[in-house]
Amino acid sequence: MGFNCGIVGLPNVGKSTLFNALTETAAAEAANYPFCTIEPNVGRVPVPDPRLDKLAVMAKSAKEIPTVLEFVDIAGLVRGASKGEGLGNQFLANIREVDAIVHVLRCFEGEVTHVEGSVDPIRDAETVETELMLADLDSAAKQRDAAVKRARGNDKEARERLAILEPVIEALEAGRPARSVPIGADQRPLFRQLQLLSAKPVLYAANVEEDAAASGNSYSALVEHRAAETGSACVVISAAIEAEVAALSDLAEKREFLESLGLEETGLARVIRAGYQLLDLITFFTVGPKEARAWTVRRHSKAPQAAGAIHSDFERGFIRAETIAYEDFIACGGENGAKEAGKMRAEGKEYVVQDGDVFHFRFNV
């Protein structure tokens, strides 16, 4: 699938506890799902989607295969990482490889000493953001120098790159992340090539004590406010609770435990779903007697790109996509009912995929 979120945070904020709970819960709850731990710090987890369950029941599919996200537990960061402090170079190298950042912020007091000496999630968020921006400023300045030389030789791409780098450097020098710079649709491919750390979307995971898991606390309220101000996402979660849930093998016990805390679902389910939304992904489905399967593409993708998510041959030899909206599939009792009701459409190469589309691709190679 190729979409991944890097889990970052200062020492002693609950980052590794969250990652371990995330992967253990996924492994326990996904007996029929394609779960794997690729490396000790990389895990693929299913994205909860009740629509898939309904489609599988209606089509009497032998198995369900949900879409997945990859989570990477990034090496720890300390102040000065952009200058190589601690595991700074490793941290920065790993974070360049992810599509989005899940930033775990400590929002609880406790016996474990905070690396900065006190609990202040906004300070912690700014510490990490500053290190990313400092690293970006150094990288962008070098890229600008190289582009200036090439632009003198009338290099068109170099001039286009400069048109992006100048406002990005201006923003970084003013203390604003690269993602705050307005970028036109035609500039996005070049912008992504810059590989700027502070251009990545951010999901704040406000890690609270157990008693605050359902309602949050004063610290998490500050994080939610920062997220709203910066256009980021925020989920309140208790890594301690998630670790306890992961240790329970019986699903009924898990539900009972969550209900006793006033929770309808695990915080991890919310993190996974929020990560999916953060990357601006949508889901389409393929449904049949063998399997009902969810697939992931970026919003605004066209039908051939969706076909390519299944197999490159599908995209290369794309003819058309026989399409049923999820609501029509359910309302009409399945594929045959949708056909009879005239709800199946034949869509061509310019069709923009809608969330929930049920596809059958026709192709020829």
Side-chain angles (χ1 to χ4, degrees):
M1 179 205 61
F3 298 108
N4 53 32
C5 297
I7 300 179
V8 308
L10 298 178
N12 299 333
V13 298
K15 176 174 69 76
S16 293
T17 301
L18 178 64
F19 175 80
N20 291 337
L22 184 80
T23 50
E24 287 169 18
T25 298
E29 293 186 353
N32 297 318
Y33 295 165
F35 169 82
C36 65
T37 300
I38 301 166
E39 297 174 18
N41 68 326
V42 181
R44 300 182 74 204
V45 297
V47 177
D49 193 331
R51 295 176 299 180
L52 182 63
D53 301 329
K54 292 180 182 178
L55 289 170
V57 169
M58 188 156 288
K60 298 180 180 177
S61 303
K63 62 180 178 179
E64 294 178 41
I65 304 178
T67 189
V68 295
L69 276 183
E70 187 173 282
F71 283 88
V72 185
D73 188 14
I74 302 290
L77 174 141
V78 295
R79 192 183 299 275
S82 61
K83 303 299 181 185
E85 294 294 328
L87 293 171
N89 293 331
Q90 181 184 343
F91 175 93
L92 296 171
N94 287 343
I95 218 166
R96 287 190 199 282
E97 302 301 317
V98 302
D99 298 303
I101 296 169
V102 178
H103 188 173
V104 183
L105 294 169
R106 179 167 168 175
C107 294
F108 64 91
E109 302 286 351
E111 295 179 4
V112 178
T113 304
H114 191 287
V115 67
E116 295 282 0
S118 61
V119 176
D120 185 343
I122 303 305
R123 176 201 59 209
D124 295 352
E126 290 173 347
T127 294
V128 171
E129 190 76 24
T130 297
E131 296 302 327
L132 299 185
M133 288 191 291
L134 287 171
D136 278 349
L137 189 56
D138 181 59
S139 172
K142 290 175 180 175
Q143 292 186 65
R144 177 180 59 184
D145 291 345
V148 166
K149 291 178 182 177
R150 294 201 307 275
R152 289 184 188 136
N154 209 27
D155 185 314
K156 180 184 176 185
E157 184 178 307
R159 291 200 304 271
E160 292 173 348
R161 194 177 288 261
L162 276 173
I164 300 171
L165 281 166
E166 294 293 356
V168 164
I169 290 172
E170 184 180 336
L172 292 169
E173 288 178 337
R176 301 194 311 275
R179 63 180 171 275
S180 69
V181 178
I183 300 294
D186 58 331
Q187 295 177 309
R188 291 217 161 269
L190 268 180
F191 182 64
R192 283 193 288 269
Q193 287 178 25
L194 301 180
Q195 288 194 303
L196 299 172
L197 304 170
S198 66
K200 299 179 188 297
V202 174
L203 164 64
Y204 292 117
N207 185 17
V208 301
E209 69 274 17
E210 293 190 26
D211 292 344
S215 57
N217 60 22
S218 58
Y219 290 130
S220 66
L222 293 173
V223 176
E224 289 175 326
H225 180 68
R226 177 182 175 83
E229 279 190 329
T230 59
S232 303
C234 180
V235 171
V236 175
I237 190 170
S238 169
I241 286 177
E242 302 307 321
E244 290 184 57
V245 171
L248 298 173
S249 57
D250 184 74
L251 291 179
E253 283 184 22
K254 290 186 180 187
R255 282 195 295 270
E256 185 177 340
F257 176 64
L258 289 170
E259 287 172 3
S260 71
L261 296 167
L263 299 169
E264 294 182 3
E265 62 178 351
T266 64
L268 296 173
R270 297 196 304 276
V271 168
I272 293 166
R273 197 160 49 243
Y276 192 76
Q277 293 168 353
L278 187 67
L279 288 166
D280 202 20
L281 306 177
I282 60 173
T283 300
F284 71 88
F285 302 98
T286 53
V287 182
K290 289 186 178 180
E291 66 180 35
R293 184 161 184 164
W295 302 87
T296 299
V297 290
R298 291 197 184 276
R299 194 177 302 278
H300 309 305
S301 294
K302 293 185 178 179
Q305 292 172 285
I310 299 174
H311 197 287
S312 58
D313 284 350
F314 285 27
E315 182 172 9
R316 187 160 52 91
F318 179 88
I319 298 173
R320 67 179 182 275
E322 294 175 352
T323 311
I324 305 170
Y326 167 78
E327 292 79 7
D328 292 335
F329 192 100
I330 297 299
C332 297
E335 182 177 324
N336 290 334
K339 283 182 182 176
E340 292 170 3
K343 297 296 185 180
M344 176 181 278
R345 313 181 310 275
E347 300 289 0
K349 293 183 178 180
E350 294 304 310
Y351 176 69
V352 177
V353 180
Q354 301 299 305
D355 188 50
D357 277 344
V358 180
F359 281 134
H360 181 73
F361 294 108
R362 298 292 183 185
F363 68 102
N364 183 40
V365 291

